[in-house]
Amino acid sequence: MRDNMLAAVAASAGLEALDAVRVDALGKQGRITQLLKTLGGMSPEQRQVEGPRIQSLREAVTTAIADRKAALEAAALDARLASETLDMTLPADAPLSGTIHPVSQVMDELAEIFADLGFAVATGPEMETDWHNFSALNIPETHPARAMHDTFYLEGAQALKHLGLADERETISVLRTHTSPVQIRTMLSQKPPIRIIAPGRTYRSDSDATHTPMFHQVEGLVIDKGITLGHLKWTLETFLKAFFERDDIVLRLRPSYFPFTEPSAEIDVGYSLVKGKRVIGGSGDDKDGGWLEVLGSGMVHPKVIEACGLDPAEWQGFAFGCGIDRLAMLKYGMDDLRAFFDGDIRWLKHYGFSALDVPTLSGGVGA
């Protein structure tokens, strides 16, 4: 029996044939298993003789099966390695990675451009006081601009205000409607000359394809001696040329009104239509062109300078502001602001930027 079983094990050409031999010898109904069952009916003397022989048979067959299985598995692996090849020269699949949101990218571009012009980045709280958000900016209680802003007011603070128990300089009462309060806080805490930009989130009750209740805005402020509209125009022209990466940017200053600047001007840039697509650059008076509003600006109102403890006869300045989301839409060809905040991974993959796309003036801020 031993010789026959060992020969069957050795003759097994594959793992399935070997397993059949194992079942025939060691399975529940296997021949060796049946021999082991006969030990119970033997006398002690017979058991002492037959027991070791049967156990030796089982161990020999078990060892032979294990050795043959290892040999067959090794042979199968060798055959697979010989038949399968891996081309190590092929590029590996790119790992999944996140992207930089267009708003964050444009904020970095703005910081890079204005840093080169000597501007620092200033920040402030998103929940503000009436005084910082309105009064210090020449927007008194009865001014229609307060209604125009569609402000989110904090109910508790407004209730205290109507009862005469709230100090408009100290009580947090609104979600800021612009980043202009950062300008006020900077003028109060820092001696001129001042050159800052103030990027950040702002809030107004508005929602459509080009407006959202929360949006991003950047404002700039310069306070110094002898500041004129010429300085404002040069700064904005230099900024827009660097941002849109074109030298043919043409500006048009259109008279406007803002409570915190006097005189005030809307800044339009020329654009042209190329294959039905609007491209920033060139004169808006060209045959296939037009003008597009991108910024609001003006000379800082003397009352604003005075409210911050400075003498408007000694210090002058200019300010400007625009929507960061709008700049991103104009530069990178997006047509619906709501998609910025939907969190659609497909949109983010399409419009997002690699973490290595750090804006630099030498490489192009939009590289």
Side-chain angles (χ1 to χ4, degrees):
M1 186 180 290
R2 176 194 296 265
D3 293 341
N4 290 338
M5 288 185 176
L6 293 181
V9 170
S12 299
L15 292 174
E16 290 186 3
L18 180 63
D19 192 59
V21 174
R22 181 191 64 80
V23 172
D24 179 63
L26 301 171
K28 290 183 178 181
Q29 302 300 323
R31 289 186 286 171
I32 295 177
T33 305
Q34 295 301 319
L35 286 176
L36 289 171
K37 292 180 179 179
T38 64
L39 292 175
M42 296 181 183
S43 65
E45 292 77 11
Q46 288 178 311
R47 197 178 299 123
Q48 287 181 350
V49 176
E50 298 298 330
R53 295 177 65 204
I54 297 174
Q55 291 292 350
S56 175
L57 172 62
R58 186 175 69 168
E59 291 175 2
V61 173
T62 301
T63 301
I65 290 175
D67 292 343
R68 183 59 178 165
K69 182 179 180 182
L72 290 173
E73 288 176 343
L77 178 60
D78 290 340
R80 181 180 177 185
L81 292 175
S83 62
E84 294 182 3
T85 58
L86 180 64
D87 189 351
M88 299 301 293
T89 64
L90 290 175
D93 293 336
L96 294 176
S97 60
T99 57
I100 303 298
H101 196 283
V103 170
S104 299
Q105 179 74 11
V106 170
M107 280 189 177
D108 290 342
E109 293 177 12
L110 295 174
E112 175 71 14
I113 294 170
F114 281 104
D116 192 62
L117 297 176
F119 284 67
V121 175
T123 59
E126 296 177 18
M127 299 174 65
E128 269 292 3
T129 68
D130 271 1
W131 188 82
H132 288 89
N133 197 76
F134 293 121
S135 300
L137 290 161
N138 195 36
I139 309 176
E141 187 74 31
T142 57
H143 200 287
R146 295 208 187 201
M148 289 163 51
H149 278 69
D150 296 323
T151 307
F152 287 109
Y153 289 98
L154 305 182
E155 291 184 359
Q158 292 302 313
L160 292 175
K161 179 180 176 180
H162 292 314
L163 292 174
L165 302 176
D167 183 347
E168 74 163 1
R169 285 177 173 261
E170 301 294 336
T171 304
I172 302 298
S173 56
V174 299
L175 295 180
R176 67 181 183 187
T177 58
H178 43 196
T179 55
S180 298
V182 179
Q183 300 180 23
I184 299 300
R185 291 181 178 275
T186 301
M187 284 192 281
L188 290 171
S189 62
Q190 179 180 326
K191 294 182 179 180
I194 296 171
R195 291 178 179 82
I196 64 160
I197 59 169
R201 287 184 289 266
T202 55
Y203 305 86
R204 297 181 193 175
S205 181
D206 204 354
S207 182
D208 56 42
T210 57
H211 299 84
T212 55
M214 185 279 290
F215 58 100
H216 298 84
Q217 191 177 61
V218 61
E219 299 195 13
L221 173 71
V222 170
I223 298 293
D224 208 335
K225 296 180 179 179
I227 298 298
T228 69
L229 271 173
H231 296 117
L232 169 63
K233 183 177 184 295
W234 179 88
T235 299
L236 296 181
E237 189 174 55
T238 302
F239 154 58
L240 291 171
K241 285 182 177 180
F243 180 75
F244 289 108
E245 300 178 62
R246 296 180 64 107
D247 291 326
D248 60 345
I249 296 294
V250 179
L251 301 189
R252 181 178 72 175
L253 275 69
R254 180 164 39 86
S256 185
Y257 166 75
F258 303 109
F260 28 81
T261 53
E262 180 61 38
S264 304
E266 299 280 5
I267 305 297
D268 301 335
V269 294
Y271 70 87
S272 57
L273 293 176
V274 180
K275 296 181 179 180
K277 181 180 179 181
R278 184 169 55 197
V279 177
I280 302 297
S283 173
D285 295 326
D286 294 342
K287 178 181 177 181
D288 296 325
W291 295 98
L292 183 68
E293 175 193 332
V294 292
L295 287 152
S297 65
M299 302 301 293
V300 180
H301 199 290
K303 289 186 177 181
V304 175
I305 296 177
E306 189 175 4
C308 295
L310 301 176
D311 183 358
E314 180 181 5
W315 301 102
Q316 300 83 44
F318 64 77
F320 57 88
C322 60
I324 295 176
D325 315 296
R326 177 170 170 76
L327 289 177
M329 293 173 71
L330 291 175
K331 183 172 182 178
Y332 296 113
M334 308 160 196
D335 56 7
D336 194 329
L337 183 60
R338 292 168 294 191
F340 278 57
F341 312 107
D342 283 345
D344 189 325
I345 191 67
R346 297 166 299 176
W347 187 92
L348 293 172
K349 285 182 177 180
H350 180 75
Y351 287 109
F353 292 80
S354 166
L356 299 179
D357 288 335
V358 179
T360 61
L361 289 177
S362 59
V365 291

